[in-house]
Amino acid sequence: MCAISGVGRGCNLWPRSNVLETMNITTLHRRHVLLASVTATLLPGLSHAAAKADPYAASPFRKLTDADWRKRLPAASYLVLRHEDTERAGTSPLNREKRAGTYLCLGCDLPLFKSETRYESGTGWPSFFRVIPGSVGETTDYKIGVPRTEYHCARCLGHQGHVFNDGPRPTGLRYCNSGVALKFVQA
């Protein structure tokens, strides 16, 4: 205890300087003002950008319940699209599809892939090297213990598969899709 002040463990003979405290508080206040200004300036643009980033936010498919989806889809498709299941490799009839056309999401008919971007990856699932722009969203999943990029239909949010960086040129990507999540429409 300090013999002079009677407080604490040690004795500080030097008075505390309020100048440094005042400078820190002033700096802190300036930072808050600056942050608030930047936020106020960018916020309208950010909300506009968010609306642009998700043009399907008001889609009626986003309002369907799990029970609705179960009624609308075949059992295997329901499990893949709504619960991120995976069909058994090599079982999809789309693996043998060679005609020109478009691959649509089975949940909402949104076009996802053109047939000219399909290729034989040897994985047992329909694979594509490019999506139709704006047709899918991506998230990171850790279901097997390592991060993978999951992709889903942008309109109904139905799970489609995973994208990997081992595809052919020109993109180097492999969109590995569960066939039961797709519908093929011939050109």
Side-chain angles (χ1 to χ4, degrees):
M1 179 163 305
C2 178
I4 297 170
S5 67
V7 181
R9 300 180 115 208
C11 195
N12 186 357
L13 299 177
W14 299 100
R16 289 194 74 185
S17 169
N18 289 334
V19 175
L20 290 178
E21 289 177 15
T22 304
M23 284 176 53
N24 286 340
I25 289 171
T26 303
T27 304
L28 186 61
H29 288 300
R30 284 184 188 151
R31 286 185 186 148
H32 284 136
V33 170
L34 181 62
L35 181 61
S37 299
V38 170
T39 303
T41 303
L42 294 179
L43 196 54
L46 290 175
S47 61
H48 180 66
K52 277 179 118 176
D54 190 359
Y56 302 110
S59 168
F61 293 103
R62 302 257 183 112
K63 295 172 177 62
L64 295 175
T65 66
D66 191 62
D68 294 333
W69 282 113
R70 188 183 294 273
K71 290 177 199 166
R72 290 174 60 93
L73 298 168
S77 300
Y78 164 77
L79 289 173
V80 169
L81 285 164
R82 306 319 304 170
H83 295 283
E84 299 185 14
D85 199 9
T86 303
E87 74 180 333
R88 205 163 37 100
T91 60
S92 175
L94 294 179
N95 284 335
R96 296 179 296 282
E97 184 59 64
K98 306 292 184 213
R99 299 173 292 172
T102 305
Y103 294 84
L104 313 177
C105 171
L106 188 71
C108 69
D109 290 339
L110 183 68
L112 303 178
F113 302 100
K114 294 286 189 184
S115 59
E116 57 266 17
T117 66
R118 188 187 176 295
Y119 73 100
E120 183 51 55
S121 65
T123 61
W125 289 284
S127 296
F128 306 86
F129 61 81
R130 181 180 290 125
V131 297
I132 294 173
S135 66
V136 302
E138 296 180 350
T139 60
T140 301
D141 93 33
Y142 297 89
K143 288 187 177 184
I144 62 170
V146 295
R148 298 183 299 171
T149 303
E150 177 272 345
Y151 66 96
H152 50 270
C153 172
R155 181 164 47 200
C156 72
L157 305 178
H159 172 72
Q160 295 292 323
H162 293 87
V163 61
F164 302 96
N165 292 320
D166 60 2
R169 291 179 185 214
T171 65
L173 299 174
R174 172 174 52 99
Y175 288 87
C176 190
N177 218 100
S178 286
V180 296
L182 295 171
K183 172 168 71 174
F184 179 76
V185 176
Q186 187 175 356

